[in-house]
Amino acid sequence: MINKLVPSLAEAVNGVKDGSVIMISGFGEAGSPIELIHALIDQGAKDLTIVSNNTGSGHVGIASLIEHRRVRKMICSFPRTTNSVVFPELYSQGEIELELVPQGTLAERIRAGGAGIPAFYTPTSVGTPLEEGKETRVFDGQTYLMEHGIKADFSLVKCEAADRYGNLVYNKTARNFGPIMCTAAETTIVQARGMVELGELDPEAVVTPGIFVQRIVEINHPLDESKLVSENWRYPWN
Amino acid sequence: MINKLVPSLAEAVNGVKDGSVIMISGFGEAGSPIELIHALIDQGAKDLTIVSNNTGSGHVGIASLIEHRRVRKMICSFPRTTNSVVFPELYSQGEIELELVPQGTLAERIRAGGAGIPAFYTPTSVGTPLEEGKETRVFDGQTYLMEHGIKADFSLVKCEAADRYGNLVYNKTARNFGPIMCTAAETTIVQARGMVELGELDPEAVVTPGIFVQRIVEINHPLDESKLVSENWRYPWN
Amino acid sequence: MELDKNKAGWSKEQMAQNVALDIPDGSYVNLGIGMPELVAGFVPEGREVIYHTENGLLGMGPEPEEGKEDPELINAGKKYVTAIQGACYFHHADSFTMIRGRHIDVCVLGAYEVSERGDLANWSTGKPGAVPAVGGAMDLVAGVRNIFVITKHITKQGKPKIVQNCQLPLTGKGVVKRIYTNLAILEVTQEGLVVNKMAPGLGFDELQEHTDAPLTMASSSKKSR
Amino acid sequence: MELDKNKAGWSKEQMAQNVALDIPDGSYVNLGIGMPELVAGFVPEGREVIYHTENGLLGMGPEPEEGKEDPELINAGKKYVTAIQGACYFHHADSFTMIRGRHIDVCVLGAYEVSERGDLANWSTGKPGAVPAVGGAMDLVAGVRNIFVITKHITKQGKPKIVQNCQLPLTGKGVVKRIYTNLAILEVTQEGLVVNKMAPGLGFDELQEHTDAPLTMASSSKKSR
């Protein structure tokens, strides 16, 4: 029987290795799988490359992962947000690498990684400092850059509901990078606000087909990351 | 006020010109917008390039469009289906062009066209006769082909329900090429089995966001193409 | 002649209204963070405009009432928003299909600098050591059909923001179509910057003086309305 | 020695069962049109296998009861099918993301010819004037992790289908992993074709005689079960 539900956060993040490439869903706090990230901190893997739109806020979630010196390199579009303190400090000290990627190019690179497309051409960032070192090519008189697909060893994704096959639906703008990141990892690990029976998700409205998901952990009441940040919490809690 | 509903099939296909590139949704008969295709026959444009998975069956729908000598070129993956008689005959006489594209490459080229991606690399059809004339390139030791995005002047698409903004949902496997074709045309023309009020479609379950749709015509009881084919109907009906 | 360039001319709200008047009925519009957001408040009666936010919502509505904020319903600036009837959600790749695929009609952005050829610099102050952050700005300028810039005509230090050549790192080359400042509305054309309209009480020479690129008057331009 | 090669060995159903036994629990599987479809009928008790059809359905179920056919619920062969509990629908680009992105575990296909290096010819008979039609075959062989071929060992004319070099236009190069015929189960390896199992009553020499490529016995292979 197919049942992708695992009983604990620790089992969910089992097997992450030093040096792994990990995609983490979310746009700011919306859709960020904070419990999975904290489980990853507990798990201990280091030298990670993290692919995520932002670098986290305050001292929880991705920011805490970075603060614990587990991250060698960030691939993201917007590393500087309100309340983002950890990354900027390490970055200015030269202690963390940054690959800055325009948001749409980041999304398309992740989608390409998941779709078996090794590279594609895009008009985005042509003529800007971000085209540096990239191949350009003219199609129909317009210049484009070649960009490469990105694959990950693991994706950590937050969703609203899941069934045991791994079919997922999301909530509003918390969907953001989740569906494409599910497609681009060898092992996709999902935290779901609720598990439902097979057939409860409308087959016309499933956003992530189960084929893209390997493990699910149920977190009925995920932490409100914005609140933790505004109250200045730090993970681990002690 | 935004209202993409047009009152008639004739108005829906208005403006198609000789030489237009037209995408037509459907996989076999499922999802094929037969009323729009017949309206296009009535409209009279010729020298068309048609992008569609198949070449139609019997003497209705795409087959009838071809039989009326309106199609200069087909871009498709499977031009030969049971009951496909019109295309094979014209093809064997050298009276219609064929660009044969593997189905997944066809889908990805359409998606790329809609997403502003002029070209991408794919492993599909490397080492086969279909790689002929195409650029190859090695990434990470594996050989890929470069394929180009396809754009259309018009897309003709069938869906299940639409609202006045052009948000669409589909029915089962009749979805197939519809959503990506909606993104890839200058003007997307949809036939919907039913119009619904704004807000009736679940915003989490909309498959085609309205931004990709320009015109909708309501066809509550579309013809059953398989039945027409098996009963050997011909369009026009007389 | 000295005028208080930051206070002179149109107010922020009037600038936003100038932009809103130029957005046709039925447009799909992406508004940048900050001053561009004001544009949504000035859509003329009878026009329906649909707002896209690149984090996955088409049909963005106004801020929620207090107490109705949903942390999973935000805009690209990470502020709480609402969704209108007829809205829909989608993932990031689909969202940037809308942008890169030229499906968005208008994007209104702020600027550090705009050149007479429509080059835009609005993502990096170029300061060494600062953390660079680009977000969706480069995608928007590369993909949206009409890029409108809304900005003060000069910096707080009195330096022109509209220039012959941008000094700061570019967001995009030759991408801006029209510039809405507190002093004027400028069109970027093949022949350079054309003044479509000037703020009330402002003379052409004054405007030129505060612009680091040659201006020409549009034949049909009105000095004010 | 002459044996009736078309009747000898395993039946179609036994061939399908041989394939089904090699598909692990929890696999995502795409079945080609024709003989491959039989495989779905032989999934061993206790295993759950999910079927993908490239026209946009994951969780394809068996044929519908008579009278319950839905023209908008079909498989890649355009036959009426059903959807299981837990199925979902998607568009063609997403469907081929599953294929090209190596998310499908097993694809079972028919063949005109298979070479000892795993080259597959199954889309074109190469006859001049015929309408070429490829469908999703090239995408499947390029993207699916395990390509299994199910085919009669020889043609109706008695010609070997398993050959040193394919004569017909290729669907893919070096893509086939295992070949299930009425006479044997063959593994494609770096060292050539290895016999995993032979049909009951068949000798190795006989098998080799009807195969246009050198075979070796797997050390652990059983002559029958």
Side-chain angles (χ1 to χ4, degrees), chain D residues 63-133:
Chain D
E63 270 184 77
E65 295 168 45
E66 225 185 285
K68 298 221 167 161
E69 298 88 356
D70 180 343
E72 300 199 323
L73 180 46
I74 59 174
N75 68 10
K78 284 152 193 154
K79 284 192 211 152
Y80 299 123
V81 294
T82 52
I84 63 167
Q85 290 273 308
C88 58
Y89 301 102
F90 35 82
H91 61 58
H92 251 81
D94 283 349
S95 184
F96 282 83
T97 285
M98 296 177 192
I99 293 172
R100 199 190 310 98
R102 307 192 80 73
H103 302 283
I104 311 269
D105 298 300
V106 176
C107 179
V108 185
L109 290 168
Y112 298 145
E113 293 176 320
V114 189
S115 86
E116 57 179 346
R117 287 174 309 281
D119 298 351
L120 174 67
N122 79 342
W123 73 283
S124 167
T125 56
K127 286 186 194 129
V131 180

Side-chain angles (χ1 to χ4, degrees), chain B residues 4-234:
Chain B
K4 298 180 180 175
L5 186 70
V6 297
S8 70
L9 282 159
E11 280 187 55
V13 299
N14 187 30
V16 178
K17 290 188 178 59
D18 292 354
S20 289
V21 177
I22 302 183
M23 293 181 179
I24 301 182
S25 68
F27 183 86
E29 284 99 77
S32 185
I34 186 166
E35 280 77 9
L36 284 173
I37 300 168
H38 290 167
L40 181 61
I41 295 172
D42 297 346
Q43 193 260 6
K46 56 184 193 300
D47 252 336
L48 304 173
T49 294
I50 300 292
V51 182
S52 194
N53 192 60
N54 307 102
T55 59
S57 299
H59 304 273
V60 296
I62 295 184
S64 174
L65 187 70
I66 294 170
E67 195 162 33
H68 281 78
R69 304 299 182 102
R70 304 295 170 72
V71 183
R72 187 177 62 74
K73 180 180 178 180
M74 285 294 315
I75 301 179
C76 70
S77 90
F78 210 81
R80 175 185 80 204
T81 36
T82 334
N83 305 315
S84 171
V85 287
V86 170
F87 179 86
E89 194 180 318
L90 287 183
Y91 180 77
S92 68
Q93 295 164 3
E95 302 214 354
I96 190 165
E97 284 175 60
L98 170 64
E99 181 177 340
L100 188 70
V101 184
Q103 201 173 129
T105 299
L106 182 64
E108 192 65 13
R109 290 180 63 190
I110 295 166
R111 191 224 168 241
I117 304 292
F120 60 91
Y121 293 90
T122 176
T124 299
S125 82
V126 169
T128 78
L130 295 193
E131 80 167 15
E132 223 173 274
K134 287 181 182 159
E135 226 177 285
T136 60
R137 181 156 176 163
V138 175
F139 295 96
D140 280 335
Q142 202 191 330
T143 305
Y144 296 84
L145 294 187
M146 190 172 82
E147 294 279 0
H148 293 267
I150 314 180
K151 285 196 227 179
D153 299 305
F154 296 87
S155 281
L156 308 185
V157 169
K158 184 184 189 177
C159 79
E160 185 65 17
D163 64 25
R164 68 176 170 88
Y165 282 176
N167 293 310
L168 311 181
V169 293
Y170 298 81
N171 184 43
K172 303 190 183 80
T173 58
R175 185 185 301 194
N176 57 67
F177 284 90
I180 49 176
M181 288 181 169
C182 284
T183 70
E186 199 55 47
T187 303
T188 290
I189 306 166
V190 172
Q191 68 169 77
R193 211 176 252 127
M195 293 299 296
V196 299
E197 291 300 313
L198 279 191
E200 273 191 63
L201 299 177
D202 176 359
E204 301 281 8
V206 166
V207 175
T208 291
I211 192 170
F212 297 123
V213 173
Q214 280 70 47
R215 303 178 196 163
I216 309 163
V217 62
E218 190 172 12
I219 303 290
N220 298 128
H221 302 288
L223 292 165
D224 180 341
E225 189 172 340
S226 311
K227 205 165 159 240
L228 296 174
V229 171
S230 71
E231 294 172 2
N232 209 23
W233 287 86
R234 285 170 182 267

Side-chain angles (χ1 to χ4, degrees), chain A residues 25-26 30-34 36 156-163 166-172 174-175 178-179 182 189-195 201 207-208 213 215-220 222, chain C residues 72:
Chain A
S25 68
S32 185
I34 185 166
L36 284 174
L156 308 184
V157 170
K158 184 183 188 177
C159 79
E160 186 64 17
D163 64 26
N167 293 310
L168 311 181
V169 294
Y170 299 82
N171 184 42
K172 304 189 181 78
R175 183 183 305 194
C182 284
I189 306 165
V190 171
Q191 68 169 76
R193 211 175 255 127
M195 292 300 295
L201 299 177
V207 175
T208 291
V213 173
R215 303 177 196 164
I216 310 164
V217 62
E218 189 172 13
I219 304 290
N220 298 130
Chain C
E72 300 199 322

Side-chain angles (χ1 to χ4, degrees), chain D residues 7-33:
Chain D
K7 291 207 178 111
W10 289 306
S11 68
K12 273 188 189 187
E13 288 69 24
Q14 287 167 320
M15 291 162 65
Q17 188 170 30
N18 284 340
V19 176
L21 285 170
D22 283 356
I23 298 176
D25 187 29
S27 294
Y28 291 91
V29 176
N30 183 298
L31 300 177
I33 299 164

Side-chain angles (χ1 to χ4, degrees), chain D residues 31-225:
Chain D
L31 300 177
I33 299 164
M35 220 191 319
E37 294 177 77
L38 295 177
V39 172
F42 294 96
V43 176
E45 193 72 29
R47 286 192 205 169
E48 199 171 18
V49 165
I50 296 187
Y51 296 104
H52 170 263
T53 179
E54 59 264 37
N55 56 317
L57 167 60
L58 190 69
M60 181 174 66
E63 270 184 77
E65 295 168 45
E66 225 185 285
K68 298 221 167 161
E69 298 88 356
D70 180 343
E72 300 199 323
L73 180 46
I74 59 174
N75 68 10
K78 284 152 193 154
K79 284 192 211 152
Y80 299 123
V81 294
T82 52
I84 63 167
Q85 290 273 308
C88 58
Y89 301 102
F90 35 82
H91 61 58
H92 251 81
D94 283 349
S95 184
F96 282 83
T97 285
M98 296 177 192
I99 293 172
R100 199 190 310 98
R102 307 192 80 73
H103 302 283
I104 311 269
D105 298 300
V106 176
C107 179
V108 185
L109 290 168
Y112 298 145
E113 293 176 320
V114 189
S115 86
E116 57 179 346
R117 287 174 309 281
D119 298 351
L120 174 67
N122 79 342
W123 73 283
S124 167
T125 56
K127 286 186 194 129
V131 180
V134 66
M138 288 186 184
D139 306 283
L140 285 162
V141 301
V144 174
R145 291 175 194 235
N146 296 292
I147 299 294
F148 291 173
V149 160
I150 183 168
T151 179
K152 287 280 179 131
H153 205 88
I154 56 175
T155 66
K156 283 180 191 154
Q157 292 74 37
K159 269 183 59 184
K161 298 182 82 168
I162 297 154
V163 296
Q164 283 191 283
N165 294 295
C166 295
Q167 301 304 310
L168 294 173
L170 292 188
T171 311
K173 243 184 146 89
V175 294
V176 175
K177 184 155 180 182
R178 212 172 283 154
I179 309 163
Y180 298 80
T181 77
N182 52 326
L183 301 185
I185 302 175
L186 306 176
E187 190 89 15
V188 180
T189 75
Q190 295 279 35
E191 290 74 37
L193 295 172
V194 172
V195 182
N196 278 350
K197 194 186 257 188
M198 284 191 292
L202 191 75
F204 178 82
D205 293 348
E206 249 177 328
L207 181 66
Q208 179 63 76
E209 194 186 325
H210 299 296
T211 309
D212 178 30
L215 302 174
T216 55
M217 288 298 288
S219 42
S220 66
S221 75
K222 299 160 290 205
K223 288 192 89 173
S224 73
R225 69 163 168 263

Side-chain angles (χ1 to χ4, degrees), chain A residues 48 140 233:
Chain A
L48 304 171
D140 281 335
W233 287 84

